[in-house]
Amino acid sequence: PVFSMACFRLPRGLCDNITSIIRQFWWGSSRGKRKPAWVAWDVMTKPKHMGGMGFRELELFNLALLSRQAWRLLNETESLSARLLKAIYYPDVSLFQAELGSHQSQIWRAILDGRDVLDQGVIRRIGDGASTRIWDHNWIPRASFKRPIASLVTAPPHMVSDLIETTTTSCREELIQAVFTEFDAEAILKIPLCTRLIGDFWSWGEEPRGNFTIGSTYHMLVQTKFGREGWLEGCEGSSSSGGGYLEN
């Protein structure tokens, strides 16, 4: 049901039912009796480079497909669908500031779900810095924390253009080191600046060339899922060991 998954957020129960059908087809049956599942489904849905078989997890794949719709709204602003949706649902704000609102529809709900996924990997590529907000946009090219963590001053600059010396097309290093933490300042100073007068634009941070792909989005979601599961297992393990220590 790829077309439906690209337009709507499927209920989790429906995803589980479809997954059950796929599992039955994969393992088969003999004379009405189910064959044993020799490999756990969680292993089968892992990427091949992680020791799995690369089967897609439908709920995550659904989100990856929906994020493509949000990407189109973000970059194809003059298309008929983008102009129509903006006029109805977020006429005065950007897509990342849009809320569900009172005019709810299944399509708009699905786009917002895709938007939240897109926000994890999208990034602004800096041209003149005039349209990128320092504290609201993802613009620092690193694996996590694509925005500055904190400001060291009470009245920090708001636009990335404030950090650029336009006459020499270079970073205002003293200002950056005064405003941002060392962790942020080091990453900001590594951002290459364009010598031509071009505007900032959106790019997909999960691809080297910045082009959005469903495959890279799904891979990002899978990595996030396993990362969180590993973190939770580590917390549970440390809690269990800590509890035993206190009991002794």
Side-chain angles (χ1 to χ4, degrees):
V2 175
F3 180 79
S4 298
M5 295 171 69
C7 300
F8 304 101
R9 177 78 182 271
L10 299 188
R12 181 169 296 177
L14 178 57
C15 291
D16 292 341
N17 288 337
I18 297 174
T19 299
S20 178
I21 294 172
I22 295 174
R23 294 174 64 177
Q24 291 176 13
F25 174 81
W26 178 255
W27 294 116
S29 61
S30 177
R31 296 180 182 178
K33 296 182 179 179
R34 294 178 57 186
K35 294 182 179 179
W38 299 108
V39 181
W41 186 251
D42 290 340
V43 176
M44 296 180 68
T45 55
K46 281 186 178 181
K48 293 180 180 179
H49 72 276
M50 297 178 65
M53 300 184 67
F55 280 60
R56 284 174 177 168
E57 193 167 338
L58 291 183
E59 190 173 2
L60 298 183
F61 186 55
N62 188 188
L63 289 172
L65 289 170
L66 294 177
S67 63
R68 179 175 59 180
Q69 305 301 336
W71 173 262
R72 288 173 175 172
L73 291 180
L74 193 65
N75 287 277
E76 302 174 13
T77 56
E78 296 303 318
S79 66
L80 178 60
S81 59
R83 287 185 287 140
L84 183 63
L85 289 169
K86 182 171 178 60
I88 296 174
Y89 295 110
Y90 58 108
D92 302 320
V93 296
S94 68
L95 178 63
F96 289 112
Q97 296 171 323
E99 299 179 352
L100 187 59
S102 57
H103 301 286
Q104 302 176 7
S105 69
Q106 292 300 321
I107 291 179
W108 180 237
R109 287 175 179 270
I111 290 175
L112 289 185
D113 288 336
R115 186 273 313 268
D116 293 340
V117 172
L118 191 70
D119 192 34
Q120 300 178 36
V122 75
I123 188 171
R124 295 285 285 176
R125 297 303 183 189
I126 304 303
D128 56 14
S131 60
T132 300
R133 294 189 294 271
I134 294 175
W135 310 102
D136 298 328
H137 287 151
N138 295 346
W139 61 282
I140 302 179
R142 54 190 178 193
S144 58
F145 301 107
K146 292 181 173 63
R147 303 176 189 179
I149 297 175
S151 172
L152 301 180
V153 297
T154 55
H158 297 287
M159 307 302 293
V160 174
S161 57
D162 298 331
L163 309 177
I164 300 175
E165 188 63 53
T166 56
T167 56
T168 59
T169 317
S170 60
C171 293
R172 300 174 66 181
E173 187 172 347
E174 293 184 0
L175 175 63
I176 292 173
Q177 292 177 343
V179 172
F180 303 99
T181 63
E182 182 179 355
F183 177 69
D184 288 335
E186 182 179 354
I188 293 171
L189 291 173
K190 291 180 179 179
I191 298 176
L193 298 178
C194 184
T195 56
R196 295 179 297 169
L197 291 177
I198 62 173
D200 307 333
F201 59 93
W202 290 107
S203 175
W204 183 239
E206 301 299 316
E207 285 285 346
R209 295 187 177 182
N211 298 322
F212 178 87
T213 64
I214 294 175
S216 62
T217 308
Y218 178 77
H219 177 73
M220 179 191 72
L221 291 172
V222 170
Q223 294 282 13
T224 302
K225 175 190 174 184
F226 283 111
R228 290 177 179 175
E229 288 178 350
W231 181 81
L232 289 173
E233 289 176 359
C235 289
E236 291 176 357
S238 61
S239 300
S240 299
S241 61
Y245 177 77
L246 291 174
E247 291 175 357
N248 292 333

